[in-house]
Amino acid sequence: MMRFLVVACALFAAACVPRGDAARCDLLATHEVAFTAPDATDTITAQTIGPSCDRAIGLYVIRDSQGFPIWSWSAPLTHRFGEVFGAEDTEHVQNFVDRWAQASLSTTQAAPAFDALAQGASTLDQLTYGDIRARDLPMLCHYSGTGTEVCIFWEPAAGGAGLLLERDVVEEAQ
């Protein structure tokens, strides 16, 4: 039985080792923000993980000043941003990741009124959305696809972040 476990562990470990000459697309950018409080040092980490840049997953994580994750978002890059990255296009992807880590900060009062939202833009009901908007809570928005962004809010009483809305945006040329 012990020999079986040793062999099984060795096979499992070997499966995790990258194979071949293909360059991986494991890229990272971090940015500090004051999201949870005006004087907080929270950190945004935007990264890609994949066997190549055309097959990478995008991962977006916000951690509070103590390092605890308070928000995460992930998706295959091609599903959300299109087929814009070549297999070995690490410079282009790194530029994207650097820009992606630069979120916009405001407050929930800057969010559109519930009646102005597109169908399905928020998973919240009108009463809850209106309450969060009226309380003027911290709001952080980051790109979640080509021409779209996700906006989250910080609820200090609960010590957590929540999804407020996803909306279309006009992207600025770089």
Side-chain angles (χ1 to χ4, degrees):
M1 180 65 157
M2 183 63 155
R3 183 173 182 190
F4 171 75
L5 289 175
V6 170
V7 171
C9 288
L11 288 174
F12 179 72
C16 295
V17 175
R19 301 203 191 292
D21 297 330
R24 290 198 51 85
C25 194
D26 298 337
L27 304 171
L28 176 81
T30 60
H31 181 70
E32 288 185 356
V33 294
F35 177 53
T36 59
D39 60 345
T41 308
D42 306 315
T43 305
I44 295 172
T45 302
Q47 68 185 103
T48 60
I49 305 165
S52 61
C53 290
D54 61 339
R55 298 184 340 200
I57 297 286
L59 176 61
Y60 198 92
V61 178
I62 303 170
R63 296 182 192 286
D64 67 14
S65 58
Q66 297 177 356
F68 293 105
I70 57 174
W71 172 258
S72 69
W73 180 94
S74 66
L77 292 179
T78 57
H79 292 167
R80 297 300 301 205
F81 296 96
E83 296 181 10
V84 296
F85 304 120
E88 297 180 18
D89 198 2
T90 56
E91 183 178 344
H92 184 206
V93 176
Q94 185 64 60
N95 288 335
F96 162 77
V97 171
D98 292 341
R99 287 190 318 272
W100 193 23
Q102 306 288 324
S104 64
L105 293 171
S106 60
T107 66
T108 55
Q109 283 187 348
F114 189 83
D115 294 340
L117 294 176
Q119 179 80 18
S122 181
T123 59
L124 302 172
D125 61 61
Q126 185 172 3
L127 184 61
T128 305
Y129 183 92
D131 177 62
I132 291 167
R133 189 169 172 260
R135 290 175 47 223
D136 202 24
L137 299 170
M139 183 172 76
L140 181 147
C141 299
H142 67 82
Y143 284 110
S144 59
T146 301
T148 60
E149 70 179 359
V150 165
C151 295
I152 63 171
F153 65 95
W154 177 252
E155 173 54 79
L163 175 63
L164 185 62
L165 63 103
E166 184 168 17
R167 63 183 171 189
D168 294 337
V169 294
V170 177
E171 297 179 47
E172 296 177 19
Q174 294 290 323

